[in-house]
Amino acid sequence: MNIKKSFLFLFIVLNSSFSHCQIEIFSQHITLDSIVNSASDELNVVVSHDGQLIYFTRKNHPENIGGTNDKGDVWVSEKSPNGNWSPSYNLKAINSPKSNTIIGFMNVGGTMVLHDADGFKLSYQKKGQWSKLTSFEIPYFNSKSKELTACVSSDGRNILFGMESFGSYGVEDIYISRLNSNGKWTSPKNLGSTINTPNQEITPFLAADNKTLFFASNGHGGEGSFDIFMSTRLDDTWQNWSPVQNLGPKVNTKGREQSFTFLPDAEFAYLSSTQNSDGYGDLKKVKISPDITPVEIEVDTTRVTDIVEEKNIVALSGSVVDKKTERKIIGAQIFVTTEPTNQEYKTLTNSDGEFNLSITEGNSYVVKIRAYQYMSSESVLT
């Protein structure tokens, strides 16, 4: 079939950059009301990348999988078109009678990272459904804490923990594990004495610049039992930090504040606080103005432009699948080279793990696939 088309390939390379984070707080706590909160303890807040979902851990609730003795299930609330939050509900597919804690996401909502009594887990979303949990390991991970708090950086390459472990300065300290180029995680590393004290440092949150850390502590002084603090990483050792700053009385109260989190362009930051709560800890928000420059990544796109020449076009479509689990992979990079012309085309798999390309006809096609935490694959089609 003859179709007049040409393809413009845009290779946008955005170098990683950091900026000093400034955040202004414009309001006192605004509660999310009983439509989201309960008489139980709500904590470990995670906001979805698009800001439309808020995930959290709820403790000892009668609707938890293990009932009131259940130390934690993951719950979720969705933002309605009018901007209000819908009634929260138990995300039963990923919960068990054991303690379940949400940590964050490895990509844009497609892979949830959790921790339970058996270790670290992943769950994959497809068409609104979450898969059964699969395990992954962090070498030499050894938490002595009854409860683990943690977060995943926005680029999915760092996990920070609040835990008591080897080398702790006191009780819980903040540690980091980083994802190597070989797809394996490093052993946890303590962030040092600027951040950590002989008391407790918990609920770390790394802003989208991968440089500015927010955490809760009862060891740096402040308004109440736990306050929210921030510090900026000064180099790539993850040991040198700016002096710790208290976020002030609009965020911190005489109660317990923790799990402070926000998106880079957000109007609100979310947190858990016991101050004036319906039960123990409730989810609340404060109006903010963040000055965050997110870590920028390389982006490859393929676009069809206006009609300029006549070519024979071949439609190429497929999906990228995990060989063991048969799970389709979201955001995998597809590189197709037409031979013998060596013309190259690029695209990404969509939210269903599928891709579609229109390419010029050739004798054969070399298809290369790259995906996060997977070995690359290459095949030749004729």
Side-chain angles (χ1 to χ4, degrees):
M1 178 175 62
N2 291 332
I3 301 176
K4 294 182 178 180
K5 287 186 180 178
S6 70
F7 295 84
L8 174 66
F9 298 91
L10 305 180
F11 305 101
I12 306 172
V13 180
L14 306 175
N15 294 323
S16 296
S17 60
F18 301 113
S19 68
H20 179 68
C21 169
Q22 301 290 335
I23 183 168
E24 293 185 71
I25 313 294
F26 293 110
S27 75
Q28 305 285 340
H29 291 181
I30 303 168
T31 183
L32 299 195
D33 297 326
S34 58
I35 198 166
V36 175
N37 294 306
S38 71
S40 299
D41 199 6
E42 284 85 32
L43 65 166
N44 300 325
V45 188
V46 175
V47 182
S48 64
H49 289 75
D50 61 3
Q52 296 303 301
L53 296 165
I54 188 166
Y55 300 85
F56 57 94
T57 302
R58 175 170 283 163
K59 300 174 64 175
N60 305 114
H61 191 274
E63 294 181 28
N64 280 3
I65 300 298
T68 54
N69 293 324
D70 193 324
K71 295 182 179 179
D73 274 5
V74 178
W75 288 60
V76 64
S77 176
E78 184 174 358
K79 187 179 290 186
S80 62
N82 63 9
N84 295 324
W85 292 100
S86 65
S88 56
Y89 60 91
N90 188 310
L91 209 57
K92 294 182 179 180
I94 62 171
N95 290 315
S96 70
K98 301 176 181 179
S99 177
N100 304 271
T101 301
I102 182 168
I103 294 176
F105 293 92
M106 295 299 294
N107 51 34
V108 184
T111 307
M112 183 186 292
V113 185
L114 306 106
H115 185 268
D116 63 22
D118 298 320
F120 294 97
K121 305 293 177 64
L122 298 175
S123 181
Y124 306 96
Q125 188 178 46
K126 182 180 179 182
K127 296 182 179 179
Q129 301 296 318
W130 290 100
S131 69
K132 292 182 180 179
L133 302 182
T134 58
S135 300
F136 72 97
E137 292 186 0
I138 294 177
Y140 302 106
F141 179 87
N142 182 13
S143 175
K144 301 176 184 178
S145 303
K146 292 183 179 179
E147 297 179 5
L148 177 78
T149 60
C151 77
V152 181
S153 62
S154 59
D155 64 356
R157 303 194 67 83
N158 306 282
I159 299 180
L160 288 91
F161 316 96
M163 65 178 182
E164 182 182 359
S165 189
F166 299 116
S168 291
Y169 288 86
V171 197
E172 281 81 8
D173 279 5
I174 309 296
Y175 291 75
I176 185 171
S177 180
R178 308 194 67 195
L179 186 64
N180 285 323
S181 57
N182 62 4
K184 297 184 181 297
W185 292 95
T186 64
S187 58
K189 182 179 182 179
N190 192 295
L191 295 191
S193 58
T194 300
I195 301 296
N196 296 309
T197 70
N199 290 351
Q200 294 171 285
E201 282 69 47
I202 58 174
T203 63
F205 168 69
L206 191 64
D209 61 358
N210 268 6
K211 188 176 182 181
T212 307
L213 176 68
F214 296 83
F215 62 97
S217 174
N218 59 8
H220 288 281
E223 303 289 333
S225 61
F226 279 89
D227 277 14
I228 306 296
F229 297 86
M230 65 167 283
S231 179
T232 303
R233 180 165 59 88
L234 302 178
D235 59 28
D236 291 336
T237 67
W238 295 85
Q239 298 293 293
N240 295 320
W241 296 86
S242 67
V244 169
Q245 299 177 27
N246 188 298
L247 290 195
K250 290 181 179 178
V251 171
N252 296 312
T253 70
K254 293 181 179 179
R256 179 205 69 186
E257 278 73 46
Q258 60 179 359
S259 301
F260 188 85
T261 183
F262 61 92
L263 299 177
D265 57 351
E267 181 182 6
F268 293 99
Y270 295 88
L271 71 154
S272 171
S273 175
T274 59
Q275 185 75 1
N276 301 321
S277 65
D278 292 337
Y280 192 49
D282 277 359
L283 302 190
K284 302 186 178 183
K285 63 182 181 180
V286 290
K287 191 174 181 62
I288 63 169
S289 177
D291 182 12
I292 291 286
T293 302
V295 172
E296 297 173 324
I297 59 174
E298 182 176 318
V299 179
D300 293 336
T301 59
T302 304
R303 298 182 182 179
V304 179
T305 59
D306 39 350
I307 300 167
V308 294
E309 61 177 328
E310 187 171 316
K311 293 280 186 182
N312 289 326
I313 300 299
V314 174
L316 177 65
S317 63
S319 59
V320 180
V321 179
D322 183 299
K323 194 172 183 178
K324 279 189 175 181
T325 65
E326 297 185 352
R327 179 183 61 84
K328 292 184 177 181
I329 308 300
I330 300 168
Q333 294 178 301
I334 312 299
F335 305 82
V336 180
T337 303
T338 301
E339 297 195 348
T341 62
N342 288 326
Q343 190 166 5
E344 188 179 60
Y345 304 85
K346 299 183 181 183
T347 190
L348 300 173
T349 54
N350 60 21
S351 58
D352 291 324
E354 300 170 348
F355 67 93
N356 293 279
L357 272 176
S358 295
I359 62 178
T360 56
E361 188 178 30
N363 295 331
S364 61
Y365 312 92
V366 179
V367 182
K368 298 179 181 179
I369 302 169
R370 296 176 187 167
Y372 184 68
Q373 288 191 306
Y374 285 87
M375 294 180 65
S376 298
S377 174
E378 180 176 328
S379 58
V380 179
L381 305 178
T382 59

